[in-house]
Amino acid sequence: MKKVIFLLVDSLMPTVLEECLRLKTVPALQFLKDRGRYWRECVTVFPTMTASVDSSLVTGTYPDAHRVPGLIWYDPQEKKIIDYLNGWRCVWKLGIDHCARNVLYDLNERHLSKQVTTVFEELAARGKTSASLNTIIHRGPKKHRVRLPFLARLLTRFRFHDNVSGPDVLTLGAMVVTPVSPQIPRHVQGMRQRFGINDSFAVHAAKALIESGQQPDFMLVYLPDNDHQVHRANPAHAENTLIRVDQRIQQILNAFGSWEAAVDQCVFIVTGDHGQTRIGNEREFNIDLDRLLEPFRVLQLGEELRDHDLVVCNNERMTYLYPQNLERQEAILQQLTSESRIDLIAWKQGNGVMVREGGSGREVFFAPGGPYVDLYGSEWTISGEWIVLDLYEDQGIVRYRDYPDVLHRLYGALYSQDVPMIVITARPRYEFLTRLYPRHLNGGCHGSLHKYDSLVPLIVTGTDQPLNEHPRLVDLKQFIVKLFDAHPVP
Ligand SMILES: [Zn+2]
């Protein structure tokens, strides 16, 4: 059985990839595409934020099963906002210790549901070895000691005493020591290099594993640099960044001696976790939620929850709102509806989801089970104005346009927690603004259900194993496990 290398490029977008392919500036991606299969529109999950998406990728489930709602969400048991390190000013306000613990420990050991299994756990059960190189979701059968870099300890005064779980090989930048750590140059591990959470570190680790004959059966390599650049540069000018990513992928292919040898020995899967939408350049493209929600008592970062009306958790182009006083929920929904820059407003109703369009107030309701079958074979009840979710029926099948796989994805987000929640998304070119959170005017941003944020290219090379002609990120875990099941150990 071939080994599998999964390259997860943050904010990889089909338009940018295809422009680079046309200009012949990404030879490694071109090679993998030419030798394999290519889908330009693989659907990711919602919210289109790395924490929720990677949880789905690694577990093959939507957030209603894996229970990681997003990058920022509210934990009603602890009465705390959970932040997996997004936006330094809000992390500072929430407490660096709290947020560092959220991402280093809670995410994998507490928040990710024990009812689901990760690809690492499933492969271990089959006697296969695996590695997670800098992936945020890495729960697996082995315990690894986390050692914060001296500078990080100095800055945060945070002491970390717990072990985290992971596959056979785990890197979280320089924070976990692996057998190949000595081969990784020091200059890619400093504070300015995010302590090793960068493309260079992950690729050095992958190369060292391959060249030293320690390559595990499955290796998930997370490449985050593209995301940072696209946020700044705006998605229309992301080609240069992807060219650099391609150079990293070339280094991995080179480690096999030749690129031909690489695809002979390994299955390569390349995809992204979400896309990005270009944000307008004027202040009106920031939907100021603090101002819109002024009539209500909104919990401010760092405050203790008391008699507040709601908690707001900003995930860039989507936001979770948690009404604390249900008598005020209708007034909150009315206020949100008055803002036409809000695209969709959704909340739980009965066993389903009510969705309202911002501005117009048009509504559609859907619930699992029922007479309608969608593109992926799931059954639904749908009533009201289908146009709100841009749904249409063709040859007896419910199909999606601007909001891919929207029924399952929106349901998955709203049912990721058992408390009253409202989901709102911003129209294309807009993002949500709340105090202390980062903004991206004239840059790129993601989080929403819209296809701009939701479609990623997918390349699979080195195997003929069938994959749905309408692929989704949530289906890839099963695809990987099946690759190994199809070739059991003799
Ligand atoms: Zn991002």
Side-chain angles (χ1 to χ4, degrees), residues 10-11 227 231 274 276 316 446:
D10 204 321
S11 291
D227 179 70
H231 273 296
H274 51 72
Q276 292 206 21
E316 301 189 359
H446 49 94

Side-chain angles (χ1 to χ4, degrees), residues 55-62 66 117 473-478:
S55 300
S56 288
L57 173 73
V58 167
T59 65
T61 61
Y62 290 86
H66 66 59
T117 55
L473 226 64
V474 77
D475 299 325
L476 291 181
K477 175 203 174 191
Q478 224 25 59

Side-chain angles (χ1 to χ4, degrees), residues 34 43 47 69 108 115 121 140-141 163 166 180 195 201 214 263 281 330 342 345 355 361 372 407 410 436 446 457 485:
D34 290 348
V43 184
N108 281 277
Q115 307 296 316
E121 289 164 339
N163 291 328
V180 294
F195 300 115
F201 185 101
Q214 299 176 75
V263 293
N281 199 17
E330 199 43 51
I342 292 180
I345 305 154
V355 192
Y372 294 105
L407 300 177
L410 189 48
L436 302 177
H446 49 94
D485 279 348

